[in-house]
Amino acid sequence: MKRLLFILLFAAFSLPVHAEPAQETSIEKLLVLTDARKLCDSALADTDAIIETTLRPLLKTEGITAEKRQMLESFLNQYKTIVREEFSWQKTLPDYIRIYREIFTEEEIQSLIAFYESPTGQMFVRKTPLIMDKMNDVLSMKMTVIINRMQAALIETMGTPSR
């Protein structure tokens, strides 16, 4: 009898434990604590800057007519509006919630909330935009190196133009 009881207890404790799925309200609280909306808005501003620096110069192309310049200007403005709408916090929030729910349990979300409510967690949140800015600088420098190396490789591959 003791053996049967032992086997039943062992079996009961061996069953896989199913963690409670993360709750939407908990995820939203975590997103508020981590300033996720602010980071989303910052990413949108970065996108606007990229559009301005990469596409806006097209408007200054020599030989472009005033009519085509106006059409391009209108297109760029529409493009920026579409990007802002599609990546707005209202449209992005359900994706955040779905992804966090897929990755984290409620217990893990609660642990993260406890961390981000702490002074250390809040300090991390305040410094995260600085980290992102510095990483963007690093990535920009790396992209410059990559573009220069690609140009050199292309010239090497294609050979020197004949004169």
Side-chain angles (χ1 to χ4, degrees), residues 11 26 40-41 46 56 65 89 114-115 131 148 150:
S26 300
C40 182
D41 291 344
D46 290 345
R56 182 78 52 200
T65 65
W89 182 246
F115 169 74
I131 294 168
N148 289 337
M150 288 175 63

Side-chain angles (χ1 to χ4, degrees), residues 65-92:
T65 65
E67 182 182 9
K68 285 193 178 186
R69 186 172 285 121
Q70 188 176 5
M71 286 172 50
L72 278 171
E73 179 78 36
S74 175
F75 171 77
L76 288 179
N77 290 334
Q78 285 179 329
Y79 182 73
K80 285 168 55 174
T81 299
I82 290 168
V83 168
R84 276 191 227 109
E85 287 172 358
E86 291 303 315
F87 289 107
S88 71
W89 182 246
Q90 291 76 21
K91 284 200 173 187
T92 308

